[in-house]
Amino acid sequence: MMSRQAFLCSLGSLYLSILFIFLLMDVYARPANNSVLKEKATDSKDENEILPPDHLNGVKMEMDGHLNKEFHQEVFLGKEMEEFEEDSEPRKNRKKLMVIFSKVDINNDKKIGAKEMQRWIMEKTDEHFQEAVEENKMHFRAVDPDGDGHVSWDEYKIKFLASKGFNEKEIAEKVRNNEELKIDEETQEVLDNLKDRWYQADNPPPDLLLNEEEFLSFLHPEHSRGMLKFMVKEIIRDLDQDGDKKLTLSEFISLPVGTVENQQAQDIDDDWVKDRRKEFEEVIDANHDGIVTMEELEEYMDPMNEYNALNEAKQMIAVADENQNHHLELEEILKYSEYFTGSKLMDYARNVHEEF
């Protein structure tokens, strides 16, 4: 028979267990407090609005000198790229791809030639341009709170530092009074680089005030020939090891700073070198002399270069042109769909005729 003491202990344990369960229920039943998350998300959004993006849609190289892995998909799909997600239903993606094929095939001969693909690439690139212009309007309003149509460097600097977690009112007061700002070294370096870019985007006569069009050049240098030159100089500066303002193959394929720790990392690095070597030798080095000049890199980076678009069209066709007729049939695009859309549709290629 259980003693009174043992009974009380058992009852106490039961009470604690029930209390613990109710506490858990209370925690999970309460609506989540998302204020902190919302604040972080807003900060991130603000920062993205005012910082020049590293990735520029429809441009072959990132602003940090890395190759744009999604370039082919961007210039083939345009704004429809988001619809071709990996988890999308393959049958739906196949139908979308068939519609795109019919749009590219303007002469309706059931195959796509280089000129047709070139026209399509230019059209999709222009789509990215227009999308950047529309986004810029919103971003410009975010950094031009007084709506006077101009943003000063100091106004931008205050917004930028606020997006990095600094108190906006305190920063604004210090800037107004020309007081020293206590900024960490990394943030200061980013700020210095942004100021260089700001100067370049400030069209003559220079006044350190950017209007909406100049701000577009600041965020998207591909929209301005002068800013495109500046971006090329930055890339060469980062990759050029001997200071001759040109790039050799060895400089272009040099691995990023870091050590290879395992075989998987080695394989990734090998692929990285392979891709960059191919791009250097077959595309960027136009005269194949083993040296890439600023002029060659600028032509390569210019997304609205018609000659580049034609070369790109020929390369895209060559990837999937199995019958070697220098054209792409629908079956070939479906079979190599991952190259064009990022989505695998190979299993459906054999059923293509059922859709007609």
Side-chain angles (χ1 to χ4, degrees):
M1 187 174 185
M2 182 182 294
S3 67
R4 178 181 176 82
Q5 185 177 1
F7 174 77
L8 290 174
C9 285
S10 176
L11 188 63
S13 298
L14 179 62
Y15 172 78
L16 289 173
S17 298
I18 293 173
L19 179 62
F20 180 68
I21 291 172
F22 273 102
L23 286 171
L24 283 176
M25 290 175 65
D26 182 51
V27 169
Y28 287 107
R30 284 184 218 142
N33 183 354
N34 290 325
S35 60
V36 176
L37 293 176
K38 286 181 180 177
E39 185 177 344
K40 287 183 178 179
T42 302
D43 288 345
S44 176
K45 185 175 183 294
D46 289 342
E47 186 173 342
N48 289 336
E49 285 178 346
I50 62 177
L51 267 177
D54 178 53
H55 178 86
L56 302 170
N57 288 333
V59 179
K60 297 200 73 172
M61 190 178 286
E62 311 279 6
M63 290 173 70
D64 62 1
H66 287 79
L67 298 180
N68 177 5
K69 293 292 186 181
E70 298 178 333
F71 175 77
H72 301 115
Q73 296 161 32
E74 289 170 357
V75 295
F76 186 75
L77 298 177
K79 291 188 293 188
E80 297 177 19
M81 184 175 173
E82 295 178 2
E83 298 179 16
F84 281 81
E85 299 174 353
E86 290 184 7
D87 57 350
S88 294
E89 185 179 336
R91 187 174 292 275
K92 289 182 179 179
N93 279 351
R94 178 169 60 126
K95 290 182 178 179
K96 293 175 190 173
L97 193 52
M98 293 170 69
V99 170
I100 291 174
F101 180 90
S102 65
K103 290 179 179 178
V104 184
D105 179 24
I106 54 176
N107 63 5
N108 297 314
D109 64 352
K110 305 301 181 184
K111 58 181 183 289
I112 295 173
K115 285 290 184 180
E116 288 174 314
M117 185 68 86
Q118 178 197 30
R119 178 197 65 84
W120 183 255
I121 288 173
M122 296 295 291
E123 186 178 314
K124 295 295 109 177
T125 302
D126 187 62
E127 266 187 25
H128 290 304
F129 263 52
Q130 297 309 316
E131 188 176 18
V133 170
E134 292 303 313
E135 288 179 354
N136 184 68
K137 290 179 181 178
M138 296 184 295
H139 299 167
F140 186 76
R141 285 197 296 268
V143 295
D144 181 28
D146 57 10
D148 66 352
H150 292 87
V151 179
S152 71
W153 167 249
D154 283 344
E155 284 178 322
Y156 177 81
K157 180 168 64 175
I158 291 167
K159 286 290 184 182
F160 168 75
L161 292 174
S163 76
K164 303 294 285 184
F166 291 85
N167 184 291
E168 186 169 348
K169 289 184 179 179
E170 291 180 5
I171 290 291
E173 186 176 354
K174 288 186 176 182
V175 169
R176 193 163 44 246
N177 297 327
N178 291 320
E179 296 179 29
E180 183 182 355
L181 302 178
K182 295 181 180 179
I183 303 173
D184 61 275
E185 188 176 340
E186 182 180 350
T187 303
Q188 185 61 55
E189 184 178 352
V190 173
L191 202 56
D192 290 341
N193 289 335
L194 289 174
K195 191 171 185 179
D196 287 342
R197 187 182 298 274
W198 190 274
Y199 282 147
Q200 292 296 323
D202 186 15
N203 290 330
D207 55 6
L208 281 186
L209 296 173
L210 298 192
N211 58 29
E212 189 174 308
E213 183 179 349
E214 290 169 332
F215 194 72
L216 174 66
S217 297
F218 174 71
L219 291 183
H220 289 272
E222 76 276 18
H223 285 250
S224 159
R225 174 59 68 175
M227 285 299 291
L228 194 64
K229 288 179 181 290
F230 180 71
M231 182 167 65
V232 166
K233 287 180 181 177
E234 284 189 314
I235 291 174
I236 287 187
R237 181 197 64 195
D238 292 340
L239 300 178
D240 180 21
Q241 296 172 6
D242 59 13
D244 64 353
K245 298 182 180 180
K246 300 176 183 177
L247 295 180
T248 62
L249 175 61
S250 61
E251 288 172 330
F252 191 72
I253 67 174
S254 294
L255 292 173
V257 177
T259 56
V260 177
E261 298 178 355
N262 53 48
Q263 185 57 47
Q264 183 179 8
Q266 179 66 60
D267 293 341
I268 293 173
D269 284 343
D270 289 345
D271 290 339
W272 192 87
V273 169
K274 182 180 177 182
D275 289 343
R276 292 181 74 85
R277 178 187 293 274
K278 182 178 180 182
E279 198 70 12
F280 183 98
E281 294 178 338
E282 298 181 9
V283 185
I284 309 178
D285 182 14
N287 61 2
H288 305 293
D289 65 351
I291 298 291
V292 165
T293 64
M294 284 190 178
E295 291 74 20
E296 285 176 320
L297 189 57
E298 186 181 333
E299 290 301 310
Y300 169 79
M301 294 288 288
D302 183 5
M304 296 306 291
N305 185 316
E306 293 188 10
Y307 178 75
N308 284 352
L310 181 58
N311 278 342
E312 192 61 40
K314 292 176 180 178
Q315 288 180 45
M316 292 174 75
I317 289 173
V319 166
D321 183 21
E322 289 196 337
N323 60 12
Q324 298 295 303
N325 68 349
H326 305 294
H327 288 74
L328 287 181
E329 280 78 30
L330 179 56
E331 291 89 340
E332 292 172 326
I333 285 187
L334 286 170
K335 184 173 182 180
Y336 290 87
S337 61
E338 190 170 16
Y339 174 80
F340 295 99
T341 70
S343 178
K344 286 186 178 181
L345 303 175
M346 192 183 301
D347 293 342
Y348 291 86
R350 65 174 66 97
N351 301 321
V352 63
H353 295 291
E354 297 175 7
E355 303 292 337
F356 290 104

